[in-house]
Amino acid sequence: ETGVTQTPRHLVMGMTNKKSLKCEQHLGHNAMYWYKQSAKKPLELMFVYSLEERVENNSVPSRFSPECPNSSHLFLHLHTLQPEDSALYLCASSLKAAVVGDTQYFGPGTRLTVL
Amino acid sequence: DQQVKQNSPSLSVQEGRISILNCDYTNSMFDYFLWYKKYPAEGPTFLISISSIKDKNEDGRFTVFLNKSAKHLSLHIVPSQPGDSAVYFCAASEGGNEKLTFGTGTRLTIIP
């Protein structure tokens, strides 16, 4: 498989559940990103990892916990979410972070519904 | 406070004609601008970009124009094709790419 993949594609969870979203990139990139897209809102950057180190945390609540074990994998661990956290969660990667002209490549997203 | 605005949520254009998608921004520190295209059930895909040192960048049927004084950019697609039907997002960054600020998107429909 090529590009950026995300699993699962759809997830329904209760507010007391713990789940994880997974992202994998096969592009040899060194930077990975989590974005959130709520209905009728622009994509919002959540986290940035560069060479497995978190370089950006965009004031995201602690119920979202990212993990980047290596440059190819990125996880978003979810616990005690709220219904307003229901959204499309997109993962992206780029060759390097903070380089002008370095394009971000997106995965297909995970559609999360919190009941 | 939205720093990148796409004021037209939707646009319909006849096949073969020109599609013009618009984007306005408020942050004068933005120096790099991108357009992404998104099909249903897929992630956004990069289309074309422009640096603030230029006012035009062309790639095949796609041209992006930047008017810094008006803080406005536009994407022209000519001629428009049915496969261009998608949601188009404008994005901007300041001094690097790790923090892209996106607009809400414009849904383009090409009418055969």
Side-chain angles (χ1 to χ4, degrees), chain A residues 108, chain B residues 37-45 82-89 107:
Chain B
K37 174 180 177 179
K38 186 180 185 301
Y39 292 119
E42 294 182 15
T45 55
D84 296 329
S85 295
V87 177
Y88 290 78
F89 292 97
R107 181 176 300 279

Side-chain angles (χ1 to χ4, degrees), chain A residues 11-47:
Chain A
L11 178 62
V12 180
M13 60 186 288
M15 289 191 284
T16 57
N17 291 158
K18 285 186 182 181
K19 296 285 184 184
S20 295
L21 309 185
K22 179 183 175 183
C23 175
E24 187 172 355
Q25 58 94 2
H26 309 266
L27 300 168
H29 289 168
N30 293 314
M32 296 187 79
Y33 311 76
W34 278 117
Y35 285 86
K36 174 184 178 183
Q37 187 179 23
S38 304
K40 297 185 181 177
K41 287 188 177 180
L43 274 77
E44 300 170 58
L45 180 66
M46 299 174 73
F47 301 104

Side-chain angles (χ1 to χ4, degrees), chain B residues 7-8 26 31-32 34 41 46 52 70 96 106:
Chain B
N7 292 317
S8 298
T26 57
D31 56 9
Y32 193 67
L34 308 91
F46 170 73
S52 60
T106 296

Side-chain angles (χ1 to χ4, degrees), chain A residues 12-18 63 78-86 113-115:
Chain A
V12 180
M13 60 186 288
M15 289 191 284
T16 57
N17 291 158
K18 285 186 182 181
R63 56 187 185 269
L78 317 170
H79 65 100
T80 58
L81 294 193
Q82 305 296 312
E84 59 265 28
D85 296 322
S86 298
T113 303
V114 182
L115 301 176

Side-chain angles (χ1 to χ4, degrees), chain A residues 9 33 35 37 40-43 45 48 56 58 88 90 94 96-104 106-108, chain B residues 2 4 31-32 34 36 38 41-46 49 51 89 93 95-104:
Chain A
R9 295 294 307 276
Y33 311 76
Y35 285 86
Q37 187 179 23
K40 297 185 181 177
K41 287 188 177 180
L43 274 77
L45 180 66
V48 181
E56 179 84 25
N58 222 21
L88 180 68
L90 287 158
S94 67
K96 298 177 186 178
V99 173
V100 175
D102 192 20
T103 303
Q104 292 183 26
F106 285 82
Chain B
Q2 253 181 277
V4 177
D31 56 9
Y32 193 67
L34 308 91
Y36 280 82
K38 186 180 185 301
E42 294 182 15
T45 55
F46 170 73
S49 63
S51 162
F89 292 97
S93 71
N97 84 323
E98 82 274 13
K99 200 161 185 173
L100 286 179
T101 302
F102 282 83
T104 49

Side-chain angles (χ1 to χ4, degrees), chain B residues 11-12 37 45 49 57 59 64 69 78 89-91 93 99 105 110:
Chain B
L11 175 68
S12 293
K37 174 180 177 179
T45 55
S49 63
N57 188 26
D59 183 4
V64 56
S69 60
V78 56
F89 292 97
C90 168
S93 71
K99 200 161 185 173
I110 304 302

Side-chain angles (χ1 to χ4, degrees), chain A residues 47-50 52-57 64-67:
Chain A
F47 301 104
V48 181
Y49 275 81
S50 178
E52 297 127 54
E53 283 191 29
R54 193 188 312 178
V55 297
E56 179 84 25
N57 178 344
F64 295 91
S65 173
E67 179 192 0

